[in-house]
Amino acid sequence: MSEIALQELNRCLKCKTARCMKGCPVGTPVREAFELFEKGEIESAGKILFDNNPLSLICSYVCPHERQCEGSCVLSSKGMPIHVSSIEKYISNFYLDILNPEIPEKDHNKKVAIIGSGPSGITIAVILAQRGYDITMFELHDKIGGVLQYGIPEFRLPKEILQRLKVKLINMGIKLRLNIQIGTGITVDDMFKDGYKAVFIGTGVWRPKTLKIKGETLGHVNYAIDYLKNPASYNIGRKLCVIGAGNSAIDAARTAVRNGIHDVTIIYHKGAEDMSALKSEVEFAKFDGVKFLFYKKPVEITENGVILKDIIRKEDRRFEETDKLSMFSCDSVIVAIGQGPHSLIVGSTSGISVNPSGLVVTGPEGHTTREGVFSSGDVVTGAKTVVSAVEQSKKVADAIDKYVAELNSKNNK
């Protein structure tokens, strides 16, 4: 990794107007960090990246760089953009090991509860802890990370990074309550009774969307969001069909290959050019031996496979179903067509509005319809990128800070 980072650093033009920075949703200060790195000031470079984005190292692995920083690079027009991610990865990996931020003494009048330890929750916890907040983070599972831990495969994001990050959160004075479901025994109302000035909801989207076709309840049908949590526990058989076209479908297919399933096919009702997955991820899947079957719509799942209907692409780019049916034989099916939020927390808390899809309704700074409750990330926007969650959550952290300060000022009068 170090050789690649240095090679890319030497290629970087250090543009005065850094397009890569403009292409990043969180405005990563690429030029400034890279210049410090080049001078041998890697710690300062790492600090700049971390202060701008507490998940800088994670984003260096999982961001859609080809659509953001690297896709915006001035050299991308020649087909050879700077691999910004490789340099950021080297700097941020080094910095996470030595990270020892000066945290001010905790102010117990600035007590905030964070529900969910995914990208949004971690971002807000770090920012507020650095401002002296007394933070408690509540997590349903036994490990932190949310989608980072349970939704992104190991080969795309090494999980040891999350363990290292957990240690840093604890060192910042952030209290972690793991293996706890909010909305059953403990509710948001209980948190306010216990003196929390604000509550943040960052629970993500863990309810799989369904195809709503016959056979979806059969025993050999699974959902990608569930499969990716613990793929080794599933008995997939020898031949797998994955239905979907996003990164989750690609992740499920590539994970299955790594778990010994050598006959994996992704089925999509449109064409290759319509897939929402990153082109690079699609190419990696092909390298892994994953096959693709386009213009086929699943209409029924049977014990022996999936019944498919042919789709025709018209000249005006519309899609038209035909009457032609075919059987795709397989041992198992994984459905990967999206996720939605669970309703347990909002269902047990009065005053929090959701839209027809169950996503939490917020203002531009994360205020929900209940005073003192904030939200951001996938539970607000639906499944998006890690960096988009960081982008919004930085604004929400400022909004929480402002709200708590005004609340304390009002109470002290």
Side-chain angles (χ1 to χ4, degrees):
M1 183 170 72
S2 58
E3 291 181 1
I4 295 175
L6 292 175
Q7 176 184 317
E8 293 304 295
L9 183 66
N10 289 331
R11 284 206 310 123
C12 182
L13 302 178
K14 315 296 187 304
C15 303
K16 186 174 182 180
T17 302
R19 294 186 185 180
C20 51
M21 181 174 174
K22 291 184 177 180
C24 174
V26 292
T28 297
V30 175
R31 189 182 65 183
E32 187 177 0
F34 287 9
E35 287 176 347
L36 287 168
F37 181 34
E38 201 167 33
K39 293 176 184 176
E41 300 177 31
I42 188 171
E43 184 173 347
S44 297
K47 185 177 188 307
I48 285 176
L49 293 176
F50 184 85
D51 288 348
N52 177 70
N53 176 6
L55 298 183
S56 176
L57 177 55
I58 289 168
C59 285
S60 74
Y61 279 91
V62 302
C63 264
H65 303 104
E66 63 199 61
R67 296 176 181 172
Q68 296 175 348
C69 57
E70 293 173 10
S72 302
C73 176
V74 68
L75 295 178
S76 64
S77 60
K78 297 181 179 180
M80 288 292 290
I82 301 301
H83 285 254
V84 175
S85 55
S86 297
I87 309 172
E88 182 181 19
K89 189 177 300 178
Y90 185 86
I91 297 171
S92 298
N93 189 59
F94 177 91
Y95 186 71
L96 186 59
D97 281 337
I98 64 171
L99 175 62
N100 187 26
E102 294 183 9
I103 303 298
E105 184 176 348
K106 282 190 289 188
D107 184 344
H108 297 295
N109 286 319
K110 296 163 66 174
K111 196 179 185 73
V112 172
I114 295 178
I115 306 174
S117 66
S120 295
I122 292 174
T123 299
I124 290 175
V126 169
I127 292 172
L128 293 183
Q130 290 176 324
R131 299 178 186 179
Y133 274 75
D134 183 359
I135 302 293
T136 299
M137 183 179 286
F138 299 83
E139 170 54 47
L140 174 63
H141 300 97
D142 63 338
K143 296 176 182 177
I144 72 160
V147 69
L148 305 174
Q149 183 73 246
Y150 298 102
I152 300 177
E154 173 75 22
F155 62 84
R156 285 220 294 131
L157 179 65
K159 298 305 183 284
E160 59 85 17
I161 293 174
L162 295 170
Q163 181 58 35
R164 290 159 61 197
L165 187 56
K166 175 184 175 182
V167 172
K168 300 303 179 182
L169 295 180
I170 293 172
N171 291 345
M172 290 179 184
I174 297 168
K175 295 183 283 289
L176 303 177
R177 288 194 62 174
L178 305 176
N179 296 307
I180 184 165
Q181 173 73 71
I182 304 302
T184 52
I186 292 178
T187 66
V188 170
D189 292 330
D190 294 327
M191 293 174 175
F192 283 120
K193 290 176 184 177
D194 284 342
Y196 291 94
K197 299 300 175 71
V199 174
F200 172 78
I201 300 174
T203 47
V205 284
W206 293 96
R207 176 176 53 81
K209 292 183 179 178
T210 61
L211 292 166
K212 298 186 180 354
I213 61 176
K214 185 179 180 181
E216 206 165 352
T217 67
L218 297 178
H220 62 306
V221 181
N222 301 290
Y223 295 100
I225 193 68
D226 299 321
Y227 173 71
L228 290 170
K229 290 179 184 177
N230 188 8
S233 65
Y234 285 78
N235 180 21
I236 296 297
R238 298 173 61 87
K239 187 175 182 180
L240 170 66
C241 159
V242 178
I243 300 171
N247 286 329
S248 290
I250 299 293
D251 284 346
R254 297 184 69 198
T255 297
V257 171
R258 284 161 174 74
N259 279 269
I261 316 303
H262 300 298
D263 193 342
V264 180
T265 300
I266 290 178
I267 295 178
Y268 182 42
H269 69 282
K270 295 182 180 180
E273 65 275 22
D274 303 300
M275 295 186 73
S276 59
L278 290 171
K279 290 182 180 179
S280 57
E281 290 298 319
V282 173
E283 291 304 311
F284 285 137
K286 291 178 180 178
F287 292 147
D288 289 344
V290 175
K291 292 171 280 191
F292 291 81
L293 186 59
F294 297 110
Y295 300 109
K296 301 287 186 179
K297 178 182 178 180
V299 293
E300 183 180 343
I301 301 173
T302 73
E303 295 288 355
N304 300 315
V306 184
I307 299 176
L308 304 171
K309 177 179 286 189
D310 279 11
I311 302 294
I312 296 176
R313 189 185 203 114
K314 308 290 283 186
E315 290 184 2
D316 59 2
R317 299 187 64 81
R318 288 188 302 111
F319 297 93
E320 184 177 287
E321 296 184 10
T322 71
D323 295 328
K324 185 177 179 181
L325 298 175
S326 59
M327 167 66 80
F328 182 87
S329 299
C330 60
D331 299 314
S332 292
V333 177
I334 290 179
V335 179
I337 60 169
Q339 302 95 241
H342 287 297
S343 60
L344 188 57
I345 294 175
V346 296
S348 64
T349 307
S350 61
I352 301 177
S353 296
V354 296
N355 69 15
S357 299
L359 299 171
V360 177
V361 175
T362 70
E365 295 181 330
H367 294 269
T368 70
T369 50
R370 174 164 176 175
E371 184 178 350
V373 178
F374 297 78
S375 188
S376 67
D378 289 355
V379 75
V380 172
T381 62
K384 289 197 173 183
T385 60
V386 173
V387 73
S388 67
V390 173
E391 176 190 20
Q392 182 61 24
S393 297
K394 289 175 66 175
K395 300 174 185 176
V396 177
D398 289 338
I400 293 174
D401 191 12
K402 180 180 178 181
Y403 172 80
V404 172
E406 292 175 351
L407 183 64
N408 285 336
S409 176
K410 180 180 178 181
N411 291 339
N412 290 333
K413 286 182 179 179

